Amino acid sequence: MVGVDVTKTVQPIPDFDTLNVPASQLSDDLRAALVAILGERYVQTDDMTRVVHAFGKGVRDLMRVRRGDLGRVPDVVLYPADQAQVEALVDAVVAADGVLIPFGGGSNIVAALEAEPGETRQVVSVNLGRLNKVLEIDEVSGLAHIQAGVFGPDMEDQLKARGWTMGHHPDSFVWSTLGGWIATRSSGMQSDKYGDIADICRGLTMVMPGQVLELRPLPSSSSGPSVREMVLGSEGRLGVITSAWVNVHRIPEVRELQAYFFPTYEAGLKACEAIVSSDAAVMMARVSDAVETRYIMANGKKSGKVSSYVNKAIQKLMVQKGWDLEQIAMSFVGFEGSTSHVRYERGLVGRIVKEHGGMGVGKGPGTLYDQKKYDTPYLRDFMLDRGLVCDVSETTTPWAYAAEIHTKTVAAFHAKMDELGVQGVLFCHLSHSYHSGACQYFTFAINDSSENAERTYDEAKRVVQQSFMDFHGTVSHHHGVGEEHSPWMEQDISPAGVFIQRKLFEGVDPGNNLNPGKIVHDGRPGISSNSPDA
Amino acid sequence: MVGVDVTKTVQPIPDFDTLNVPASQLSDDLRAALVAILGERYVQTDDMTRVVHAFGKGVRDLMRVRRGDLGRVPDVVLYPADQAQVEALVDAVVAADGVLIPFGGGSNIVAALEAEPGETRQVVSVNLGRLNKVLEIDEVSGLAHIQAGVFGPDMEDQLKARGWTMGHHPDSFVWSTLGGWIATRSSGMQSDKYGDIADICRGLTMVMPGQVLELRPLPSSSSGPSVREMVLGSEGRLGVITSAWVNVHRIPEVRELQAYFFPTYEAGLKACEAIVSSDAAVMMARVSDAVETRYIMANGKKSGKVSSYVNKAIQKLMVQKGWDLEQIAMSFVGFEGSTSHVRYERGLVGRIVKEHGGMGVGKGPGTLYDQKKYDTPYLRDFMLDRGLVCDVSETTTPWAYAAEIHTKTVAAFHAKMDELGVQGVLFCHLSHSYHSGACQYFTFAINDSSENAERTYDEAKRVVQQSFMDFHGTVSHHHGVGEEHSPWMEQDISPAGVFIQRKLFEGVDPGNNLNPGKIVHDGRPGISSNSPDA
């Protein structure tokens, strides 16, 4: 679709040894203080460790590291073992007027993990990976107290061993952490049932300079403006999250993904809206647009053959119904609960699907989806080798604008591609539903292996984000703001909203030591050249 | 139960004319500026208007006004007609270094509507009552744009005329407003289905000095720390809320309240917990403790006769089951949806009730409950006439502590009553459920018509609030903080949490013009003498 020959590598990854890694600027005094707190082994200044912690995993990050632009590499990476060490190191770094950047799994894609390019102070990356234990499960309340640095699979293994699940499965699940999910207001694939991390996280501990925020687990509270919600999405600007109390659930008796097809994406959107406002309470309702449906089909087990998702008989039936096979939209709906409850809800959903002209094709495709659900992001490296720049952007809108923002974003992207004279593709699925609207998740790929590739990417990203703003969307549903999205914040939450966030950050962190420049710009030159005015 | 003869009035309400109302301190300059904005008619300085806006409706407020303590009566009450007028008046008042206190329905019970006693600046109460329109309904998304000053019944009438409901029904519904619900993080009786106001409110407009915060309606977002959630519960400290976008729902085909009885409150709590974690998604699950159950029975239609709630045959059945009629706990569970869905969920709940030793008694009691659900608060005036001081306090805890906080709070209250040598009663119901816990709503009454009554009340309130803190509760589930609860905030959200709130307020309102002293104390003498250290 974009003219790429996947059998040919055009951009090999450079050797690490060829990179020009800036020397660590860590002072002897600060090093001594940190070694006294953490021990020699957990104060790392070698080049590889520092480069690994210099970025997130945005496609811009991948492109930059490939061409040897390492940005403002941290001067030291710390690996605290417990909260007491985090408290001591935060105080030591702030006393030395250093910059603190918490690091979870490093999967951030909005430039939230990187110091500002012009940062002259010492930059300290704090890797929370040793804080990786489920500390306690309150089996009566369905709450677990978990350290912030635990990775998704490790956490779920610890919970499952006692019969529990948190039910939070973002695409990044394998390489992201609880603390990272909280710091970015993450959302998982099963959020329709389990909620976004903002719902799941009921209490937390955050280390701040000279003090520790302790929010006990509470189902709900009216204790003034929610401090819990100020920490959610704070991306390190208020402190270092060390643990959290989260909702956990008993592993359900039945978990079932049913696949459905609709003649068009618009029909699928309408069906999802109807499912969400019905008496059914599904775990997931997802539908892909026509282009993404073709992409999924092409990634079936028997590569290129539709048959691994839909057999010939069903295709024939679609044609008989008058469907255009180029326009069909694939949908997955997830059910959980007792056997009889899943049967009941499947019945409710089946009727809605039928009313919207859709058809069910059973559980087979859902099994494939489950096997591959975390894989897509990792294709980006393979694609970059072949000159294809791939990225994702997601937004939410009220239902009234769901179809419009899709068609307008597709049109804006292709107009930009035409203008630039490059081939590109953009597709989308509805991923998370709410009473009043839904998240749509766009993936785009641009065939540009020239030296202009980053500029081309910037322009594509910019038209997508601006389209979100122009058609009633938000800057991000769950990737967060970082530096990448901060230029759109005044359009998203109004200048007064940015003023409020700025006053919060300035008040809590007057020395600008806590991951400065993220969410709310500090006026210094940024990492990306992106801006609505560019 | 508390030795009060309800046929005898011991404390008549004083005549308004006998009150000593402090003169308005409104300057000629500010008056002229306000009249230019609003017109003469909507700038009121007469004594009655100012006294009506001097308080909320806490029992402390009722007691104080009865003995002629009017506190720091506002100097002027404004009635803006639209947002432009609110913008102009906010700027005029802040330019004159006045104090701005937004006023919705005046039903606040935590001293959030009153100026600090020592306030020397001009105090301006802003009554939002003229901003009372449902502006727009987005029928596709299930969202309504509504002005902040509308009262509950008026708002629901406007919505119902087009087939919609917001489903938010706090006890104060009749005399409270949308803006007030948002400013206090309110919750309604049907929150299990419709959510707390924090869930319902998807966007809002708030006038701040020199700027307007505009948060467009979004189902969810990860735009950094949630500014929407900072406004929720801000009690006027960040600005004046003028309108909001809220979730609205189609009026369900069936709405049904089923009544159940359990042998004890503990059994009822366990049943509610099981209902919430089951496959059923009920609109309401409520259970009263033994004392409250007796109170409800005594308030049946045929006063004093149990028979309006439970007939003789059912009582006989309870006795046959070995139940102690003094310990029985009454429960209401609400169902909404299609006829078949309500039947399905009723079946799920019925099985859980049976497993917990409960029994259903049908829809009759629910009809009575519906008729009387907003009435209880108004008994306080009748009771005060008779020397009985009644108040309410609510909290949430994780399920693990639900039974304990109940028994410990009952014990702490009665120990205090014994110590003071007065008669009192305290009862409770579970009112709002969440995955990990629930809100319990305590009502207490103290027979004290002496001049010590306010001190007795303070001591009772103090032991109840402190018990919440001691047994894993929050300071308030939905009444908010105001000044009344602010002394417990450091225990609730930790000193660092109060630090964060304080920095937010100081940053946004450096002149301390926006309802100062609420939520976070400013160190000046307060309205109540309450404090954990008192």
Side-chain angles (χ1 to χ4, degrees), chain B residues 87-265:
Chain B
E87 293 174 34
L89 77 85
V90 165
D91 288 344
V93 172
V94 172
D97 194 23
V99 165
L100 267 166
I101 306 180
F103 190 100
S107 67
N108 188 278
I109 63 168
V110 292
L113 298 176
E114 185 175 351
E116 297 292 278
E119 187 56 73
T120 55
R121 297 174 291 176
Q122 299 175 82
V123 175
V124 180
S125 179
V126 184
N127 185 311
L128 278 303
R130 294 171 73 202
L131 280 75
N132 60 1
K133 294 284 178 297
V134 173
L135 298 171
E136 184 184 344
I137 300 179
D138 171 349
E139 307 225 346
V140 177
S141 309
L143 283 166
H145 189 202
I146 306 178
Q147 289 184 306
V150 70
F151 281 76
D154 184 5
M155 183 194 75
E156 280 289 322
D157 284 350
Q158 293 182 55
L159 291 172
K160 279 211 179 79
R162 291 172 62 183
W164 294 89
T165 178
M166 187 167 128
H168 184 72
H169 294 273
D171 284 7
S172 62
F173 180 73
V174 178
W175 295 109
S176 57
T177 64
L178 174 60
W181 302 332
I182 294 169
T184 58
R185 287 185 75 95
S186 164
S187 187
M189 300 173 193
Q190 305 178 11
S191 69
D192 290 5
K193 171 178 173 184
Y194 294 93
D196 297 332
I197 200 74
D199 307 302
I200 295 168
C201 172
R202 302 313 321 161
L204 55 82
T205 303
M206 181 174 74
V207 174
M208 302 165 68
Q211 57 187 337
V212 178
L213 175 71
E214 289 282 3
L215 299 176
R216 301 161 304 143
L218 289 167
S220 187
S221 175
S222 66
S223 300
S226 170
V227 174
R228 185 181 64 84
E229 290 267 0
M230 294 186 217
V231 176
L232 281 153
S234 59
E235 301 184 6
R237 292 217 52 169
L238 298 174
V240 181
I241 299 160
T242 52
S243 68
W245 283 93
V246 295
N247 285 347
V248 292
H249 300 253
R250 284 289 179 197
I251 294 164
E253 186 183 323
V254 177
R255 178 180 184 280
E256 193 175 289
L257 286 185
Q258 289 284 340
Y260 304 91
F261 277 88
F262 294 93
T264 63
Y265 183 53

Side-chain angles (χ1 to χ4, degrees), chain A residues 29-64:
Chain A
D29 284 356
L30 183 53
R31 174 192 294 272
L34 295 172
V35 167
I37 295 163
L38 300 159
E40 195 81 46
R41 183 173 169 199
Y42 299 110
V43 179
Q44 294 287 339
T45 52
D46 65 283
D47 286 355
M48 178 61 95
T49 302
R50 292 193 299 116
V51 168
V52 164
H53 289 78
F55 299 96
K57 297 289 183 299
V59 74
R60 183 197 307 285
D61 303 327
L62 305 185
M63 285 193 284
R64 282 170 60 214

Side-chain angles (χ1 to χ4, degrees), chain A residues 24-352:
Chain A
S24 167
Q25 296 168 30
L26 185 66
S27 72
D28 292 343
D29 284 356
L30 183 53
R31 174 192 294 272
L34 295 172
V35 167
I37 295 163
L38 300 159
E40 195 81 46
R41 183 173 169 199
Y42 299 110
V43 179
Q44 294 287 339
T45 52
D46 65 283
D47 286 355
M48 178 61 95
T49 302
R50 292 193 299 116
V51 168
V52 164
H53 289 78
F55 299 96
K57 297 289 183 299
V59 74
R60 183 197 307 285
D61 303 327
L62 305 185
M63 285 193 284
R64 282 170 60 214
V65 77
R66 278 167 185 253
R67 69 166 163 78
D69 172 7
L70 303 179
R72 177 63 178 89
V73 175
D75 299 306
V76 61
V77 180
L78 308 180
Y79 296 83
D82 55 32
Q83 184 177 314
Q85 289 191 354
V86 176
E87 292 175 33
L89 77 84
V90 165
D91 288 345
V93 172
V94 172
D97 194 23
V99 165
L100 268 166
I101 306 181
F103 191 99
S107 68
N108 189 278
I109 63 167
V110 293
L113 297 176
E114 184 174 351
E116 297 293 277
E119 187 56 74
T120 55
R121 297 174 292 176
Q122 299 174 82
V123 175
V124 180
S125 179
V126 184
N127 185 312
L128 279 303
R130 294 172 73 203
L131 280 75
N132 60 1
K133 294 285 179 296
V134 173
L135 299 171
E136 185 184 343
I137 300 179
D138 172 349
E139 307 225 347
V140 177
S141 309
L143 283 166
H145 189 201
I146 307 178
Q147 289 184 306
V150 70
F151 281 76
D154 185 4
M155 183 194 76
E156 279 289 322
D157 284 349
Q158 293 182 55
L159 291 172
K160 280 211 178 79
R162 293 174 60 184
W164 295 90
T165 178
M166 187 168 127
H168 185 72
H169 295 273
D171 284 6
S172 63
F173 180 75
V174 178
W175 294 110
S176 57
T177 64
L178 174 60
W181 301 332
I182 294 169
T184 57
R185 288 185 75 96
S186 165
S187 187
M189 300 173 193
Q190 305 177 11
S191 69
D192 289 4
K193 172 179 174 184
Y194 294 93
D196 297 333
I197 200 73
D199 308 302
I200 294 168
C201 172
R202 304 312 320 161
L204 54 84
T205 302
M206 180 175 73
V207 174
M208 303 165 66
Q211 58 187 337
V212 177
L213 175 72
E214 289 281 5
L215 299 176
R216 301 161 305 142
L218 289 167
S220 186
S221 175
S222 67
S223 300
S226 170
V227 174
R228 186 181 63 84
E229 290 268 359
M230 293 185 219
V231 177
L232 281 153
S234 59
E235 301 183 5
R237 293 218 51 170
L238 299 174
V240 181
I241 299 160
T242 52
S243 68
W245 283 93
V246 296
N247 284 347
V248 291
H249 300 253
R250 284 289 179 197
I251 294 164
E253 186 183 322
V254 177
R255 178 180 185 281
E256 193 175 290
L257 287 185
Q258 289 284 340
Y260 303 92
F261 277 88
F262 294 93
T264 64
Y265 182 53
E266 287 64 32
L269 279 181
K270 286 274 168 214
C272 283
E273 186 188 340
I275 290 167
V276 168
S277 61
S278 78
D279 289 331
V282 299
M283 170 265 277
M284 181 173 105
R286 179 187 172 104
V287 60
S288 295
D289 71 5
V291 181
E292 184 167 297
T293 298
R294 278 184 276 160
Y295 165 81
I296 296 172
M297 303 278 206
N299 278 283
K301 267 198 168 161
K302 296 169 192 164
S303 170
K305 286 193 188 169
V306 174
S307 59
S308 59
Y309 282 100
V310 186
N311 63 33
K312 286 251 156 70
I314 292 174
Q315 283 188 62
K316 208 170 157 188
L317 188 61
M318 289 174 175
V319 174
Q320 280 171 354
K321 280 169 170 274
W323 293 11
D324 175 354
L325 290 183
E326 298 287 294
Q327 291 304 318
I328 59 171
M330 188 172 195
S331 168
F332 293 106
V333 179
F335 303 93
E336 286 189 352
S338 67
T339 306
S340 61
H341 184 70
V342 166
R343 192 185 313 121
Y344 172 75
E345 298 230 307
R346 202 172 53 218
L348 292 178
V349 168
R351 281 191 287 282
I352 294 168

Side-chain angles (χ1 to χ4, degrees), chain B residues 16 21 332 376 448 477 489:
Chain B
F16 185 79
V21 184
F332 293 107
T376 311
D448 190 345
H477 169 258
M489 286 293 279

Side-chain angles (χ1 to χ4, degrees), chain A residues 206 233 262 391 468 476:
Chain A
M206 180 175 73
F262 294 93
D391 197 22
F468 291 174
S476 171

Side-chain angles (χ1 to χ4, degrees), chain A residues 295-507:
Chain A
Y295 165 81
I296 296 172
M297 303 278 206
N299 278 283
K301 267 198 168 161
K302 296 169 192 164
S303 170
K305 286 193 188 169
V306 174
S307 59
S308 59
Y309 282 100
V310 186
N311 63 33
K312 286 251 156 70
I314 292 174
Q315 283 188 62
K316 208 170 157 188
L317 188 61
M318 289 174 175
V319 174
Q320 280 171 354
K321 280 169 170 274
W323 293 11
D324 175 354
L325 290 183
E326 298 287 294
Q327 291 304 318
I328 59 171
M330 188 172 195
S331 168
F332 293 106
V333 179
F335 303 93
E336 286 189 352
S338 67
T339 306
S340 61
H341 184 70
V342 166
R343 192 185 313 121
Y344 172 75
E345 298 230 307
R346 202 172 53 218
L348 292 178
V349 168
R351 281 191 287 282
I352 294 168
V353 168
K354 196 170 277 182
E355 283 162 22
H356 288 79
M359 60 189 281
V361 295
K363 289 192 282 188
T367 309
L368 263 182
Y369 165 84
D370 255 356
Q371 287 167 4
K372 294 165 156 285
K373 64 188 172 189
Y374 304 129
D375 293 351
T376 311
Y378 307 96
L379 287 174
R380 290 179 314 162
D381 302 275
F382 176 88
M383 291 302 186
L384 263 188
D385 292 345
R386 283 143 189 88
L388 196 65
V389 182
C390 307
D391 197 22
V392 288
S393 273
E394 20 68 80
T395 191
T396 55
T397 59
W399 288 113
Y401 310 108
E404 184 185 17
I405 203 169
H406 175 256
T407 54
K408 291 288 169 57
T409 303
V410 170
F413 174 82
H414 284 294
K416 178 56 73 176
M417 292 297 100
D418 290 348
E419 181 195 318
L420 297 176
V422 294
Q423 282 183 282
V425 65
L426 175 138
F427 50 74
C428 176
H429 62 265
L430 175 145
S431 55
H432 309 259
S433 294
Y434 303 87
H435 166 76
S436 61
C439 167
Q440 288 180 87
Y441 194 108
F442 293 82
T443 301
F444 58 91
I446 305 160
N447 181 358
D448 190 346
S449 54
S450 76
E451 58 191 13
N452 290 329
E454 276 174 63
R455 225 192 111 206
T456 305
Y457 164 74
D458 271 354
E459 299 221 19
K461 172 81 177 167
R462 192 181 306 144
V463 296
V464 169
Q465 291 301 133
Q466 191 55 49
S467 175
F468 291 174
M469 293 298 107
D470 294 344
F471 299 102
H472 305 272
T474 180
V475 74
S476 171
H477 169 259
H478 58 266
H479 290 148
V481 184
E483 198 201 63
E484 187 79 23
H485 292 148
S486 64
W488 282 275
M489 286 293 279
E490 292 206 342
Q491 291 185 54
D492 195 1
I493 62 173
S494 80
V498 175
F499 169 84
I500 290 173
Q501 288 184 337
R502 187 188 302 276
K503 289 298 169 185
L504 172 68
F505 297 148
E506 287 176 357

